[in-house]
């Protein structure tokens, strides 16, 4: 990426999306535990907050916690009686996320649930609707996650998937079948008449980012 692009990214981050101690602590915990550096960027975190507040989010669902970095951004967009539920399959990641949430002072509005997302999602039916769903786990199941997100949402809910830019690769774990799954995901976003969608490259190299959809009010 050119220096100019980097400078612009940094300027936006410094002005609009500075990290605080809670976010930096989550990154430090992940690094100390040897986790890969695959968190969303600060600009992505700020965009998630922007979207959550724009849709008046009180309940947010995240699929894929890692060490709580994106979850802290999301939790901070909630009112004090709001709730973020984040789903995570890896027990170590669950512990790191809980610890990062406590360090950021958001444990009162967060719940970390351990298990495979596809097994945990059916248990959320009674807790729906979620105002915002952030999908950022294994990419092979992303279409199933989208189907669950739509089932658990309301008109006006927003569904964001990370690492879902057509052709984007930078932050994605190499995973069998993920490109096909992401292509099908994006196809669904643009053909479902109940959704209005857009994808935006947002990471530092503009090679990866969010695919986003808002559920239309019924006509
Ligand atoms: N959202 C985080 C990054 C998540 S990385 C951030 O930006 O800060 C992807 C996470 O998804 C990893 O922690 C991985 O363990 C988890 N994951 C992978 N497969 C999963 C599954 N089937 N169910 C739940 N979590 C899963
Ligand atoms: Mg990601």
């Amino acid at each position: 990426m050119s220096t100019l692009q980097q400078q612009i990214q940094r300027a936006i981050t410094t002005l609009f999306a500075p990290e605080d101690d809670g976010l930096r602590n989550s990154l430090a915990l992940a690094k100390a535990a040897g986790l890969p550096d695959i968190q969303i960027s600060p600009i992505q975190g700020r965009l998630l907050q922007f979207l959550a507040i724009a849709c008046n989010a009180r309940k947010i669902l995240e699929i894929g916690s890692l060490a709580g970095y994106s979850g802290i951004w999301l939790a901070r967009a909630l009112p004090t009686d709001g709730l973020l539920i984040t789903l995570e399959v890896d027990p170590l990641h669950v512990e790191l996320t809980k610890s990062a949430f406590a360090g950021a002072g958001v444990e009162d509005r967060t719940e970390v649930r351990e298990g495979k997302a596809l097994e945990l999602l059916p248990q959320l039916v009674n807790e729906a609707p979620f105002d915002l769903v952030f999908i950022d786990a294994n990419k092979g199941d992303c279409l199933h996650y989208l189907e669950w997100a739509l089932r658990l949402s309301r008109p006006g809910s927003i569904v964001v998937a990370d690492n879902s830019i057509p052709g984007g690769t930078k932050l994605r774990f190499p995973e069998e079948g993920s490109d096909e799954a992401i292509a099908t995901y994006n196809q669904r976003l643009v053909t479902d008449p109940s959704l209005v969608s857009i994808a935006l490259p947002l990471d530092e190299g503009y090679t990866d980012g969010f695919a986003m959809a808002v559920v239309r009010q019924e006509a």
Side-chain angles (χ1 to χ4, degrees):
M1 182 166 63
S2 79
T3 307
L4 179 58
Q5 282 171 314
Q6 274 169 342
Q7 282 171 6
I8 291 169
Q9 288 270 339
R10 282 187 203 136
I12 293 172
T13 302
T14 305
L15 187 60
F16 291 94
E19 287 168 333
D20 64 8
D21 287 344
L23 288 161
R24 279 192 288 267
N25 178 52
S26 164
L27 295 177
L29 286 170
K31 193 169 188 169
L35 268 46
D37 188 16
I38 53 171
Q39 293 88 352
I40 57 167
S41 70
I43 292 175
Q44 288 178 292
R46 193 64 178 157
L47 179 58
L48 286 175
Q49 293 187 330
F50 182 98
L51 295 170
I53 288 162
C55 74
N56 202 14
R58 308 188 75 81
K59 270 194 199 176
I60 298 177
L61 172 63
E62 177 181 67
I63 308 176
S65 327
L66 195 68
Y69 182 82
S70 53
I72 293 169
W73 283 103
L74 287 166
R76 293 224 163 115
L78 285 167
T80 45
D81 61 345
L83 178 64
L84 165 74
I85 296 177
T86 185
L87 312 182
E88 173 56 55
V89 73
D90 185 311
L92 170 65
H93 299 185
V94 168
E95 284 321 304
L96 291 168
T97 299
K98 286 181 180 166
S99 157
F101 285 171
V106 296
E107 69 273 49
D108 59 325
R109 69 198 72 172
T110 52
E111 257 182 57
V112 190
R113 299 203 183 163
E114 184 177 327
K116 284 189 184 167
L118 281 180
E119 288 167 16
L120 297 174
L121 284 161
Q123 299 165 24
L124 293 174
V125 172
N126 293 332
E127 289 165 280
F130 291 88
D131 308 297
L132 188 146
V133 182
F134 178 47
I135 301 173
D136 191 19
N138 59 316
K139 306 307 163 189
D141 286 321
C142 61
L143 188 63
H144 301 298
Y145 297 152
L146 175 62
E147 276 156 11
W148 273 107
L150 296 177
R151 218 169 284 159
L152 298 171
S153 67
R154 57 159 172 88
S157 289
I158 293 173
V159 182
V160 178
D162 190 29
N163 315 110
S164 292
I165 290 295
T169 52
K170 182 163 174 272
L171 295 174
R172 201 183 301 152
F173 275 127
E175 192 194 318
E176 190 82 31
S178 61
D179 285 347
E180 292 78 1
I182 288 165
T184 314
Y185 184 104
N186 287 326
Q187 202 54 40
R188 172 73 188 276
L189 285 197
V190 299
T191 52
D192 187 329
S194 71
L195 301 176
V196 176
S197 308
I198 185 66
L200 287 177
L202 291 163
D203 76 295
E204 285 178 1
Y206 289 114
T207 59
D208 204 354
F210 285 166
M212 302 180 272
V214 57
V215 182
R216 272 182 187 275
Q217 304 289 334
E218 275 159 50

